[in-house]
Amino acid sequence: MSKFPEPVQTLYETALQHEQASDWGAAAACYEQAVTLVTDSPELWARYGLLLGREGVQNADGHIDLSACARAAKCPASTAEELYWRGVGARFNDGDGDSRRDLAASLALDPTRAEAWYHYAEALEAPAAYYFGRDYDASPEGQARRRAAYDQALTLEPDNPQYLAARGEFHLAHDRLNEALNDLNAALARSPTLRWARVRRAVILFLQHDFPGALRDFRASQAGKLRGDWREAKVEYHIRYADEQYSSPMERWEKALVLFESTGIQEPATAEYLSERARYFLAHGAAIRALTDAEAAVTLRPSHVPYREIRIACRLAQAIPDFDALLTDYEWLLERPLPHAVGSRKAGSSETPRDQALWQRARYGHQAAWANFRLGRREQALADFAAAIILPTGRLPRVGLLSGDEQLHWMGDVKELLPPVSDSEYLRWQLEHQLTQEVNDPNQQRAINEWLFAAAQVLSVLELSQAMDEYRALWLPAGHYFVQPRSAAAFATALSLFLNGMQRQPAYKAVFIQLYRNLLRSELRDAQNRPGATTEAIRDAVNHYDAQLAFLATT
């Protein structure tokens, strides 16, 4: 019997076939089309949402796109099947009580569905609580309920490796290491490629001081490819209830690490492993050891961009950064060729691979400008800045001349283009210089204004942030047309704000004076190009401009 009308039934069956073949993208495409035809099916929405999550599709905020799961959670449901899928959608959307309610209701109608028991057990712990080290089953009663749900799922499907591994992780979270190890051994016996189960087992073996076994599991994860340092196993996410010997799970992990290092067991020497170990040392404040590993990783694979980036991070963490060495890495990254083709946009994203490559190149260019400034090469720093600011054109509206009210559409946070470490001297120097310049391209000038506003925010000088915010809103390019006229009161308010900044922040007086001068120029342009402007009005605007400049010269 068909679940859906045609052509949705065919799309549904085709999607299931693609899932069986692990062709996730093709399956998601079928569901994407199906939900436009049947909009109130929790199953179609939930299956579509799970595949988007599996593919790592992101929304405009850069997070995993959960909108399809959210739609599933809002669909009408009355049968065990519908309640099950609505509960699954709610679980992956936000993990709140709606998921537990729907899954419990589904099980009340049909207690023979193993996967419903599994998802119910998982839903008893909300994701947000999980990552903060608190969960629903902190009480013995809660633990018993969750364990009973896992047990019921495994009673119905005793050989399911996913359920075995999930119950093993549950035992691990509560420090029942032997029970956890039994479940994970059983899961991996049935599915040796279940990487996350192998990583969890490595954590247990490490805590039990079986270091060779732990290393074997970490090395064997992801079909023999090391995808995460055994040191950085996120043990705090797996164990939240330490035994009586230690005050915290991390203390036990650190004790085991000290013991391991005394054994002399040989660790892998691949570039990937060295890179991950460098990240571990960097995260734990051992910047010198981290740099040694990062240097070795780059030596082994000099053309791999992520290894260059971790080496940059290690160099920045040194007590005295080597700016010549940093500049070498920045320049190497800048010389890499951009993608020739624009490429296709990933679902849920508005940027092409070329857009993303341009943004990364802009980031490296700005960091090179900062490094040259620190090396005393001011002219080169300005040249690097000018070259970098025009790169991410894919993040600006693709129109000829922007209207005065149109906003920039940056793909990333503009603060990514600032120095990677705090440097108020550099930011103030760029503010003072860039405000004295005016480029011909209004898109480029707006990009500069956005960068300067981000710099002002980072400097944490309230008056300066407010001034830059007003300035970027009121600034007008030369020869602007079809622009919404500005309010005379808005200009007056901004100019007053600049005067206040001069008085309250004397260290930034030069910046405020230049802002004042630039905004006077924009005010004059507004009057000159305003539709219907009379000769008398323009003359009054010019006189006002001259008088204000004379006043500024006396401040």
Side-chain angles (χ1 to χ4, degrees):
M1 180 178 177
S2 297
K3 283 187 175 183
F4 307 104
E6 290 295 349
V8 176
Q9 181 66 26
T10 299
L11 288 167
Y12 172 73
E13 293 173 359
T14 304
L16 293 180
Q17 292 170 6
H18 286 312
E19 287 190 65
Q20 286 292 325
S22 300
D23 190 348
W24 315 118
C30 290
Y31 288 128
E32 183 177 21
Q33 186 177 352
V35 294
T36 64
L37 301 172
V38 173
T39 60
D40 60 351
S41 167
E43 180 179 0
L44 292 177
W45 281 112
R47 286 185 180 276
Y48 180 41
L50 294 179
L51 287 173
L52 291 180
R54 186 184 187 98
E55 290 292 274
V57 175
Q58 297 180 348
N59 58 23
D61 297 326
H63 302 119
I64 295 297
D65 188 353
L66 300 174
S67 58
C69 287
R71 288 291 299 271
K74 294 177 181 177
C75 288
S78 58
T79 67
E81 177 85 357
E82 291 169 342
L83 287 164
Y84 166 75
W85 283 111
R86 190 170 73 177
V88 170
R91 180 189 158 214
F92 285 96
N93 180 42
D94 54 21
D96 63 9
D98 289 343
S99 176
R100 295 192 288 272
R101 179 201 64 202
D102 282 342
L103 290 167
S106 175
L107 288 166
L109 294 172
D110 178 12
T112 64
R113 187 168 191 156
E115 56 188 344
W117 284 107
Y118 162 72
H119 282 294
Y120 179 60
E122 295 284 289
L124 289 175
E125 181 180 41
Y130 179 87
Y131 287 107
F132 284 105
R134 302 182 299 273
D135 63 357
Y136 166 83
D137 52 34
S139 68
E141 297 80 7
Q143 290 187 47
R145 181 179 298 181
R146 193 167 178 210
R147 180 169 185 167
Y150 283 126
D151 290 347
Q152 188 60 38
L154 284 162
T155 298
L156 294 167
E157 293 185 21
D159 292 327
N160 189 300
Q162 184 179 16
Y163 304 167
L164 285 164
R167 189 174 67 178
E169 185 172 23
F170 166 68
H171 287 314
L172 174 58
H174 295 283
D175 210 32
R176 295 187 289 268
L177 300 189
N178 289 330
E179 291 178 85
L181 187 58
N182 289 338
D183 276 342
L184 292 168
N185 283 338
L188 289 165
R190 290 159 177 79
S191 179
T193 60
L194 201 58
R195 177 184 174 270
W196 65 275
R198 192 172 294 279
V199 171
R200 304 303 189 272
R201 188 173 71 176
V203 170
I204 295 171
L205 295 174
F206 192 83
L207 291 170
Q208 293 179 335
H209 300 168
D210 179 358
F211 302 125
L215 278 175
R216 268 197 309 273
D217 269 346
F218 279 112
R219 291 170 179 173
S221 62
Q222 194 77 1
K225 184 178 181 182
L226 188 70
R227 292 295 299 252
D229 192 320
W230 58 270
R231 294 168 177 270
E232 194 63 273
K234 302 297 183 187
V235 68
E236 69 274 20
Y237 292 169
H238 306 314
I239 301 179
R240 281 145 290 159
Y241 304 98
D243 63 19
E244 296 178 357
Q245 298 179 40
Y246 303 106
S247 61
S248 72
M250 281 308 295
E251 182 180 349
R252 174 192 282 183
W253 184 259
E254 294 295 342
K255 295 276 187 181
L257 178 61
V258 171
L259 181 60
F260 167 78
E261 292 190 330
S262 70
T263 65
I265 294 175
Q266 186 65 39
E267 298 179 48
T270 65
E272 184 172 19
Y273 186 87
L274 290 165
S275 157
E276 294 292 346
R277 194 170 67 179
R279 294 179 191 277
Y280 173 86
F281 285 133
L282 188 62
H284 288 75
I288 295 176
R289 293 183 69 179
L291 182 57
T292 299
D293 277 347
E295 294 277 18
V298 173
T299 299
L300 289 170
R301 289 191 61 187
S303 62
H304 194 53
V305 171
Y307 298 163
R308 294 273 182 164
E309 291 179 332
I310 186 60
R311 184 168 72 176
I312 286 172
C314 293
R315 283 173 169 166
L316 289 169
Q318 303 303 306
I320 302 177
D322 183 342
F323 284 99
D324 279 311
L326 280 167
L327 190 60
T328 298
D329 274 336
Y330 292 143
E331 290 176 344
W332 182 89
L333 290 164
L334 282 166
E335 289 171 1
R336 289 182 61 78
L338 289 168
H340 293 297
V342 170
S344 59
R345 293 176 173 82
K346 191 173 183 179
S349 174
S350 61
E351 292 80 29
T352 67
R354 187 174 179 84
D355 290 335
Q356 295 165 6
L358 282 167
W359 181 256
Q360 291 302 322
R361 180 166 288 192
R363 187 165 63 87
Y364 300 141
H366 281 287
Q367 291 180 5
W370 168 67
N372 272 311
F373 171 83
R374 281 288 143 216
L375 290 167
R377 304 165 186 164
R378 303 296 175 89
E379 291 301 318
Q380 186 59 49
L382 293 173
D384 289 341
F385 181 95
I389 202 69
I390 64 173
L391 280 171
T393 53
R395 295 165 191 250
L396 303 178
R398 293 179 178 83
V399 296
L401 187 63
L402 301 182
S403 71
D405 298 322
E406 193 157 17
Q407 299 297 310
L408 292 175
H409 296 292
W410 298 91
M411 187 169 72
D413 187 345
V414 182
K415 290 180 182 177
E416 293 176 12
L417 305 182
L418 302 182
V421 298
S422 177
D423 191 335
S424 57
E425 182 184 0
Y426 173 75
L427 296 180
R428 188 164 74 178
W429 175 74
Q430 283 288 15
L431 275 164
E432 291 176 355
H433 179 83
Q434 297 300 332
L435 286 171
T436 64
Q437 311 297 309
E438 184 171 40
V439 298
N440 293 327
D441 183 350
N443 282 4
Q444 183 179 345
Q445 187 61 55
R446 281 187 170 83
I448 293 172
N449 292 348
E450 288 293 315
W451 190 97
L452 297 178
F453 174 63
Q457 287 183 306
V458 169
L459 286 168
S460 298
V461 178
L462 178 61
E463 293 84 358
L464 186 60
S465 294
Q466 292 174 335
M468 277 305 309
D469 196 21
E470 292 290 330
Y471 175 71
R472 65 177 184 157
L474 293 171
W475 174 84
L476 290 173
H480 67 286
Y481 300 101
F482 312 112
V483 170
Q484 183 71 29
R486 268 65 169 133
S487 161
F491 281 111
T493 299
L495 293 172
S496 176
L497 192 66
F498 298 168
L499 287 175
N500 179 62
M502 292 181 210
Q503 297 167 359
R504 295 177 62 88
Q505 298 293 339
Y508 291 91
K509 183 177 180 179
V511 174
F512 285 110
I513 287 176
Q514 194 58 50
L515 283 170
Y516 199 105
R517 183 177 290 114
N518 290 359
L519 199 61
L520 286 175
R521 192 181 305 126
S522 290
E523 185 180 30
L524 179 59
R525 288 169 179 168
D526 181 68
Q528 290 173 327
N529 293 291
R530 185 182 293 264
T534 64
T535 302
E536 183 179 1
I538 293 175
R539 184 174 60 251
D540 289 343
V542 171
N543 290 337
H544 171 73
Y545 175 76
D546 292 339
Q548 286 293 309
L549 284 180
F551 162 75
L552 193 60
T554 64
T555 58

